[in-house]
Amino acid sequence: MGPEKLKEVIKEALKDAEVVIAYKEGFDKLHSTPCFVTTPEEADAVIFDPRCVQNLASYLPSLKKKAAVVVKGCDSRTIVQYMQEALIDRGKVTVIGIPCTGIVSIKKVMAKTGHQPILDVTFPDKNTVVVKTPKGEQKMAMADVAADKCGSCLYPTPVVYDQLVGEPIESDKTYETAYKDVAELAAKSLEEKKAYWEKEFDRCIRCYACRNACPMCVCQDSCIAESRDPHWISQKSNPTEKFMFHMIHALHLAGRCVECGECERACPMGIPVNMLKRKINQDMKELYDYEPGVKPEDKPPMFTFSVEEKKIEEHKL
Ligand code: SF4
Ligand code: SF4
Ligand code: SF4
């Protein structure tokens, strides 16, 4: 997909939408930044390539304007989930979908360069990243620096769109291969799992970046992590309180996490915070044959109630 085609589509969308949410180059060549395009001239600065990591759909619930938004496959699931939860008015949103071959993890690229200043980044083909620093040019395999979520991507082509910019791409994964890491961790003993999460959450500094970046964390100012009345969690930096925060986060995302990976991208401590939600998603699939953010006509299981759930043997609970 050439960026010229995307610019054309954005200019066309501006005839109806007040704003188009897209990407432009950020403070250096490795970073992109979300941009809010309101004029055809601004559309000329738009880019789309593996640097475009942010989930732009996150802006929609609080935007009180008729908008268009550029989405990758994973991010498009946010739109579907918003539709299911009536958090957006679909009639006021134009979805510009882009089939996606993967994005880079900025942290992985920086680590490979030894945290050198970035002079230029190019993508000669979908498998290669070339980074220029003051120390010279470095060629990297996309597979080595891709975001973790791309390794288990089931939906490279957006699941919902008004306009698709590019040819659809099929995932080469199955549900089983995509969730292999979750199943492996789940198969460990209770003690091993406890030790794993204690080690991971020990690094948590309770900065709440994972929550703030999450498009489905919509309680905003009334988040129980910071509520003083009632006061559910203290600010103490101990394992109990950290676990409590993460359990609440995971449970509030039960059947709602669209696996956009924004929580993990935002975490400054490299904690695999999406693993818990993906485990719950796997349970949702098994119990209700439901995947968050995939079919607009679905109802999230936690939004419905049935006295006798078909796949839950209630007497054993
Ligand atoms: S998870 Fe899929 S759609 Fe999302 S960035 Fe990676 S390859 Fe693209
Ligand atoms: S928990 Fe993480 S992966 Fe899931 S929707 Fe929120 S930010 Fe995206
Ligand atoms: S972003 Fe990371 S460090 Fe911050 S609260 Fe979330 S898990 Fe903890």
Side-chain angles (χ1 to χ4, degrees), residues 13-239:
L14 275 175
K15 291 181 182 161
D16 183 46
E18 292 169 77
V19 60
V20 182
I21 314 170
Y23 303 94
K24 67 176 182 180
E25 224 165 69
F27 70 94
D28 72 6
K29 291 281 182 183
L30 180 57
H31 290 79
S32 71
T33 187
C35 64
F36 291 76
V37 178
T38 54
T39 64
E41 294 70 40
E42 285 170 342
D44 288 328
V46 164
I47 60 165
F48 188 85
D49 58 37
R51 294 172 292 173
C52 298
V53 294
Q54 301 89 349
N55 178 358
L56 303 179
S58 313
Y59 292 107
L60 293 173
S62 55
L63 200 70
K64 306 287 176 229
K65 291 180 176 170
K66 207 164 184 194
V69 63
V70 172
V71 292
K72 308 182 285 288
C74 51
D75 304 336
S76 72
R77 292 176 63 184
T78 310
I79 306 242
V80 171
Q81 194 68 23
Y82 283 158
M83 288 162 69
Q84 291 178 2
E85 299 188 19
L87 290 166
I88 58 165
D89 177 350
R90 179 70 176 88
K92 287 191 178 164
V93 179
T94 303
V95 182
I96 303 170
I98 305 193
C100 170
T101 53
I103 54 162
V104 293
S105 154
I106 305 286
K107 288 174 197 163
K108 288 184 193 173
V109 175
M110 289 304 293
K112 276 209 178 285
T113 66
H115 298 271
Q116 287 292 307
I118 303 291
L119 302 178
D120 201 10
V121 179
T122 50
F123 305 96
D125 58 63
K126 67 177 182 161
N127 300 317
T128 319
V129 185
V130 179
V131 182
K132 203 170 159 196
T133 70
K135 288 199 167 168
E137 214 169 70
Q138 223 177 319
K139 208 178 198 183
M140 302 170 190
M142 184 68 184
D144 293 340
V145 291
D148 287 347
K149 65 175 176 176
C150 301
S152 58
C153 177
L154 288 171
Y155 301 99
T157 300
V159 293
V160 64
Y161 54 82
D162 296 301
Q163 180 128 19
L164 194 65
V165 187
E167 292 304 313
I169 301 170
E170 287 284 320
S171 171
D172 57 358
K173 321 278 182 319
T174 62
Y175 191 87
E176 283 64 37
T177 55
Y179 281 80
K180 198 166 161 269
D181 55 340
V182 180
E184 278 170 5
L185 182 57
K188 290 186 188 293
S189 72
L190 208 54
E191 288 70 30
E192 285 171 318
K193 282 185 275 198
K194 187 166 174 275
Y196 173 85
W197 285 115
E198 274 175 353
K199 186 161 172 272
E200 292 296 339
F201 288 147
D202 188 45
R203 301 198 301 282
C204 177
I205 52 173
R206 302 267 301 276
C207 64
Y208 302 137
C210 51
R211 178 203 64 183
N212 296 351
C214 176
M216 300 315 303
C217 275
V218 289
C219 304
Q220 299 185 355
D221 293 340
S222 46
C223 176
I224 113 173
E226 287 160 309
S227 150
R228 290 288 171 273
D229 186 18
H231 195 184
W232 292 99
I233 321 179
S234 79
Q235 296 307 305
K236 281 184 193 153
S237 181
N238 61 33

Side-chain angles (χ1 to χ4, degrees), residues 210 213-216 249 253 257-263 274 277:
C210 51
C214 176
M216 300 315 303
H249 193 189
L253 271 290
C257 168
V258 290
E259 303 190 17
C260 64
E262 287 293 84
C263 48
N274 196 21
K277 287 100 178 175

